[in-house]
Amino acid sequence: IVMEFVDGQTLREKEGQISFKQAIEIGIQLADGLAAAHEKGIVHRDLKPENIMVRKDGICQIMDFGLAKLRSASSKINRLTREGSTVGTAGYMSPEQVQGQDVDHRSDIFSFGVVLYELFTGQLPFKGVHETALMYEIVNVDAPPPSSIRPEIDVELDRIVLDCLQKA
């Protein structure tokens, strides 16, 4: 196995060290990175702070495409996991992932919304005392606006994050 060395820290390791301005820049870079993957027909399916590296020069890289899926129906390897299987990390999965349904780029957008929410508020939008309760919330409960946790967050940023967290 060969992996690229990225000189930096994961978003999780940088937790608590990121200014609001840096969080906006990281969000823009992540959106651009996801758009590039989606244009190639790749759905990441495990976007989370541990899979995002912030290099020493400030550039963000989305890492670990180990659970990725090719969207193209013409591809012979478009399904790397069996139908109905649940893949991802509980707090960052989309409702479709939680329910074991087929996913597309919208699932990554939902996970991106969770990452943004945590980046701006310091907490996850969905909570549960155990994994089943967390998954119930992801599927059935709407996230509170980030500004309800941090009042200095602009309502337009609320709208962007909550749009990402829309359930299909």
Side-chain angles (χ1 to χ4, degrees):
I1 297 174
V2 177
M3 292 177 54
E4 172 188 14
F5 172 73
V6 178
D7 194 11
Q9 293 179 297
T10 66
L11 201 50
R12 176 69 66 218
E13 292 169 326
K14 291 190 69 65
E15 205 169 48
Q17 307 168 35
I18 298 171
S19 71
F20 186 76
K21 183 178 178 183
Q22 289 170 316
I24 295 286
E25 181 58 34
I26 288 169
I28 291 167
Q29 289 185 48
L30 291 176
D32 289 344
L34 277 179
H38 294 160
E39 285 172 12
K40 301 265 188 238
I42 299 168
V43 180
H44 189 282
R45 300 197 304 177
D46 197 24
L47 191 67
K48 59 186 177 183
E50 292 82 358
N51 288 340
I52 299 164
M53 291 291 292
V54 181
R55 297 183 340 200
K56 288 189 175 187
D57 62 3
I59 302 296
C60 292
Q61 285 186 237
I62 300 170
M63 309 295 287
D64 193 358
F65 282 77
L67 295 179
K69 176 187 145 191
L70 295 175
R71 186 178 58 219
S72 168
S74 64
S75 171
K76 290 185 177 15
I77 58 167
N78 67 344
R79 180 165 284 285
L80 303 176
T81 55
R82 66 183 164 78
E83 189 135 5
S85 64
T86 302
V87 296
T89 302
Y92 299 88
M93 287 194 291
S94 69
E96 297 77 27
Q97 283 175 289
V98 166
Q99 296 172 337
Q101 298 172 355
D102 202 18
V103 300
D104 59 24
H105 67 284
R106 294 172 295 181
S107 182
D108 282 347
I109 293 170
F110 186 92
S111 299
F112 172 60
V114 174
V115 169
L116 287 179
Y117 196 101
E118 187 175 20
L119 194 57
F120 294 126
T121 67
Q123 53 188 271
L124 290 170
F126 307 102
K127 297 169 182 54
V129 292
H130 50 76
E131 192 170 299
T132 304
L134 175 61
M135 291 181 166
Y136 175 86
E137 284 218 3
I138 289 169
V139 173
N140 298 294
V141 177
D142 290 330
S147 63
S148 69
I149 297 159
R150 301 228 3 229
E152 66 273 17
I153 293 176
D154 188 271
V155 293
E156 190 59 24
L157 186 55
D158 271 348
R159 186 191 62 74
I160 292 167
V161 172
L162 294 177
D163 278 356
C164 291
L165 293 173
Q166 284 293 309
K167 299 170 193 324

